[in-house]
Amino acid sequence: MKTRRTLLAAMALVPCLALPALAQVGDWPKRQPVKLVAVFPAGGSVDQVARILAAQLTVQLGQNVIVENRVGASGSIGTGSVANGPGDGYTYAVVFDTHGVNPSLIPNMPFDTRKDLAPVILLGTAPMVLATPAGSDYKTFGDVVAAAKAKKNVSFGSVGSGSLGHLAMALLGKSGGLEWTHVPYKGGGPLMQDAVAGHVPLSIASIVVTKPHIDSKRLRPLAVTTSKRSPDLPDVPTVAESGYAGFDAPAWWGVLASAKTPPEIVRRMNEEINKALKVPELAAKLAGQGMTIVGGPPEAARSFIDQQIDTWAVVVRENGIKAD
């Protein structure tokens, strides 16, 4: 009888124990400011995207949405702070395409990318541009392919070893039987400086970094790495339509939460960001970052990110690629 009374008393406590979590979901986001952790330094595209988003979400949620830059290790330090955080729905990571590469390049990360993080939304994608100096003999992407197949010592520069541009060219080389030499730079600035000066015959970098030099006629674009042509460079063919069907290597931005975050809050945050992405002023600002807006449900974001992780893991392994 005593055991039965004890069991009934314990069962009576269960609804009470659940109340704080339910109240937490119901109160969100009233209790405190929402934080977006930009995992790259101030001034870069991730920081800019986070701040554009934060301003609109502040209006929509009626709660301050602040940006904190927590940087290092290709974005994994900031992402890790969210993965290992409380999961209360008040902290999110704004990540870049390195998020899909880091699990293959960074050993012993202090979190599991798939298990410890809940994708909230894929904000958008952007192409990288393969370009050549204006005075180059490469007039088309086909010229580059022909030279690489003829083993004419084709070299290209990227923003660094293990960068998405580096991996995209490694993937293309492997799938197309093309040989070229990688020249890693320490970021887009140094790469563009040498590219426009003609010190490196090919460069691959984001459209945001490359387009000003295309507009000034110092670089000639040869191809973009996304599956569809860029609205910013509508006359530039994709790699896919240039003989490599299915090739798709986009830069991308996304928002992640801790996997401990209540699914109801993840869904609500997804709905609010989707709403924000439809605001014309915000969409125009993101387009200024070279972004094609995607949006959609959390499930679509997870599927995309998982595909990115799987794709680049194979490329890293098959090519023996190491991070800088």
Side-chain angles (χ1 to χ4, degrees), residues 15-66:
C16 298
L17 292 172
L19 282 176
L22 292 174
Q24 181 184 16
V25 173
D27 287 347
W28 189 90
K30 298 176 183 177
R31 291 194 299 117
Q32 65 191 65
V34 176
K35 183 192 299 182
L36 300 181
V37 176
V39 303
F40 280 91
S45 71
V46 171
D47 175 71
Q48 291 298 316
V49 167
R51 293 182 189 279
I52 291 167
L53 195 59
Q56 180 60 34
L57 289 176
T58 294
V59 174
Q60 290 178 199
L61 296 176
Q63 175 63 275
N64 285 333
V65 180
I66 61 175

Side-chain angles (χ1 to χ4, degrees), residues 71-85:
V71 308
S74 296
S76 63
I77 289 178
T79 308
S81 72
V82 173
N84 296 320

Side-chain angles (χ1 to χ4, degrees), residues 228-303:
K228 297 180 180 178
R229 293 194 182 198
S230 168
D232 293 319
L233 296 171
D235 297 327
V236 179
T238 67
V239 171
E241 69 183 277
S242 303
Y244 297 88
F247 187 88
D248 188 23
W252 58 273
W253 297 260
V255 177
L256 312 173
S258 165
K260 298 186 289 288
T261 307
E264 296 89 347
I265 293 181
V266 171
R267 184 70 61 181
R268 171 78 189 284
M269 186 63 159
N270 170 271
E271 292 170 354
E272 292 293 341
I273 296 176
N274 270 307
K275 179 180 175 182
L277 294 177
K278 292 180 173 66
V279 175
E281 294 82 1
L282 181 141
K285 290 177 181 178
L286 293 182
Q289 298 295 317
M291 183 190 297
T292 298
I293 290 173
V294 176
E299 294 80 9
R302 179 174 291 281
S303 177

Side-chain angles (χ1 to χ4, degrees), residues 207-228:
I207 192 169
V208 174
V209 169
T210 310
K211 192 170 185 296
H213 306 291
I214 295 171
D215 292 342
S216 68
K217 308 298 184 184
R218 291 181 291 177
L219 290 180
R220 180 188 305 119
L222 301 175
V224 295
T225 63
T226 39
S227 59
K228 297 180 180 178

